[in-house]
Amino acid sequence: MKKINNYIDGNLCSYSNSTQPVYDPSTGEQTAEVILSNKKDFEKLLESSVKSFDNWSNFTPLKRSRIISKFKENIEKNLDELAKIISSEHGKTFEDSKGSVIRGLEVVEFASGIPHLLKGEFSENVGTNIDSWSVRQSLGITAGITPFNFPAMVPMWMFPISIACGNVFILKPSEKDPSCSIRLAELFSEAGLPDGVFNVINGDKEIVNLILNSKQISSVSFVGSTPVAKYIYEKSAANGKRVQALGGAKNHLVVMPDANINQAVDGIMGAAYGSAGERCMAVSVAVAVGDIADGLIEKIHDKALTLKVAPWTDKDSEMGPLISKEHKEKIEKYISIGEKEGARLILDGRNYKIQGYENGFFVGPTLFDNVTKEMTIYKEEIFGPVLSIIRAKNYEEALNLVNDHAFGNGTSIYTSDGEVSRHFTTKCKIGMVGINVPIPVPMAFHSFGGWKQSLFGDHSMHGMEGVHFFTKLKTVTSRWPKSIQSGPEFIMPTN
Ligand code: NAD
């Protein structure tokens, strides 16, 4: 059985004998086992990170940028291989895997501009003959803990910027699909990154807790479910670390009566069922405003029936399986709860079987109508191909639904009315907003992050937020001896 190791100091290695199975979700078969690292692995990791920091932080930003640019080329050359690794451990379609690597690559491109991004500010003569300037300096050892749903893109929201800023980075990827992180680390080494600057440690919550408790680690970046995000945030903050912890979501797409319904249906289809709904920006609630619900549902239903659900090896596949047997069962349980609580089940994805892949973790596209605010399937994140339609009498009711929900990651409105869309973007309590755009994921040079229970901490990921998160601000005030008047000064200088 293939063993997925750690990548520490440029070597594949591990001390621990403990492992966890890794599956191909399309077939349901175990394909590998991943190391669950122990304290000894962690000590080796820290030793490597501490040793590498001084050297790396002294590289000029331009030298760092050149290595990052080479890394970008390596990813481009190996794009198909990376996508194949992702699809075979995660299950999403091949083209979707490729797309996710490219979105991560955009952060690498952004990070290669680090000489410009790190430029400070300078003010001449802030007092007579006194100058002042600010610089951004690296934090030291930074760590990232990432979820299963984007095994390349989410780590790439973090480590390229951290490393560009002169930090060293420790990645603890999801134990469900860990191979891609190792390959990325190898490609970075091949680009000339010194050993130990980017280490990958595999494991579960034992390693996470060692990271959170380590005095030598300066910052923690987390993406995953809300209960874990909250825990990471609280524990890291209590230990004096800088922390950004992104959590779960329940994204609403509001369809106004004046929207182009066909465009809205196309938007909803991709956003609800793409990647089997395992995206933190997936649309899990469509809010039908006014009297459009029946027509909207009919069109979604008809399209969902033609959706090609298949393994990633089928090039026509539009939706693959879920990540694990447990996750499939969890989603099927949510569908049963929805039915029991009185939602109208229009399309039922339970017990979905594909010939030749009977043991795969597939759930078919699922559609509920008449969902209400009180229902479990509305309140909780399902993270699968389950779309709830909720009917709102008017725009105000729709906006209140969006704002009253505990999560605040993304939302979207389909309308042709500029006044309404402007009101919506101004008043909604959500971090990322789309106008006639179903999944408004910001580009690398903007920043990604939600509000409310979807983000704990003050900084979003990538863009300038990323640069600020991974650096400390220092402001210097300077004068030269000839301009210093003799004698001590006891009052606050004011000129
Ligand atoms: P998860 O929270 O189960 O795991 C995320 C990471 O935390 C993994 O590396 C895991 O090993 C670790 N972990 C899990 N339980 C832990 C514990 N008790 N203590 C310490 N560490 C623990 O999330 P997941 O199932 O891998 O990913 C899906 C979730 O991620 C969804 O909720 C989704 O919305 C969220 N997500 C959010 C964003 C965002 O940007 N807000 C992006 C992608 C995914």
Side-chain angles (χ1 to χ4, degrees), residues 144-150 153-154 157 172-177 203-206 208-209 212 222-229 231-232 245-249 278-281 323 327 330 381 383 407 409 432 448-450 454-455 461:
I145 300 152
T146 53
F148 76 81
N149 67 325
F150 284 107
M153 184 182 82
V154 169
W157 285 352
K172 204 303 280 173
S174 169
E175 56 276 46
K176 293 177 185 136
D177 45 13
D204 56 15
K205 60 183 178 190
E206 187 186 333
V208 173
N209 283 325
L212 304 184
F222 173 85
V223 176
S225 59
T226 287
V228 185
Y231 168 76
I232 302 274
L246 277 60
E278 290 174 323
R279 288 178 180 148
C280 66
M281 288 292 275
I323 184 72
H327 197 53
K330 183 176 152 193
E381 181 184 46
F383 219 56
F407 293 111
N409 216 36
M432 293 169 282
F448 185 109
S454 298
L455 191 151
M461 300 260 166

Side-chain angles (χ1 to χ4, degrees), residues 306-323:
T306 66
L307 195 75
K308 172 91 174 169
V309 183
W312 68 273
T313 41
D314 181 336
K315 67 174 179 29
D316 295 326
S317 174
E318 292 171 309
M319 185 177 115
L322 293 155
I323 184 72

Side-chain angles (χ1 to χ4, degrees), residues 30-188:
Q30 184 180 348
T31 52
E33 54 183 9
V34 61
I35 287 292
L36 298 181
S37 301
N38 59 21
K39 200 152 182 263
K40 201 163 171 201
D41 292 302
F42 186 72
E43 279 161 8
K44 188 173 161 114
L45 167 87
L46 267 190
E47 193 187 304
S48 155
S49 302
V50 169
K51 190 185 70 186
S52 312
F53 173 65
D54 264 355
N55 174 38
W56 179 244
S57 57
N58 283 325
F59 268 55
T60 64
L62 197 56
K63 267 174 107 178
R64 287 185 226 140
S65 161
R66 287 184 185 131
I67 292 171
I68 292 166
S69 298
K70 187 84 185 60
F71 177 46
K72 172 190 167 271
E73 283 171 27
N74 289 354
I75 294 172
E76 283 167 338
K77 276 189 215 138
N78 293 278
L79 187 58
D80 281 4
E81 185 205 344
L82 288 165
K84 199 172 155 192
I85 294 172
I86 295 171
S87 291
S88 55
E89 287 185 359
H90 176 283
K92 64 177 85 180
T93 67
F94 183 64
E95 289 304 321
D96 195 27
S97 292
K98 254 169 113 166
S100 72
V101 178
I102 291 168
R103 292 308 297 264
L105 189 67
E106 288 162 8
V107 185
V108 179
E109 288 176 301
F110 172 76
S112 69
I114 201 67
H116 175 72
L117 299 171
L118 280 183
K119 275 193 314 200
E121 293 174 328
F122 187 93
S123 299
E124 188 182 51
N125 241 16
V126 291
T128 308
N129 292 326
I130 299 177
D131 303 323
S132 191
W133 69 91
S134 57
V135 289
R136 293 207 153 264
Q137 295 188 331
S138 49
L139 301 180
I141 304 177
T142 60
I145 300 152
T146 53
F148 76 81
N149 67 325
F150 284 107
M153 184 182 82
V154 169
M156 284 156 96
W157 285 352
M158 307 169 180
F159 73 80
I161 298 183
S162 170
I163 288 172
C165 290
N167 301 297
V168 297
F169 196 89
I170 293 169
L171 174 63
K172 204 303 280 173
S174 169
E175 56 276 46
K176 293 177 185 136
D177 45 13
S179 295
C180 187
S181 299
I182 300 286
R183 192 67 193 114
L184 286 172
E186 286 172 347
L187 293 175
F188 217 162

Side-chain angles (χ1 to χ4, degrees), residues 2-14:
K2 180 180 148 200
K3 196 192 242 179
I4 303 161
N5 256 305
N6 298 322
Y7 189 84
I8 299 176
D9 232 17
N11 296 307
L12 293 168
C13 55
S14 62

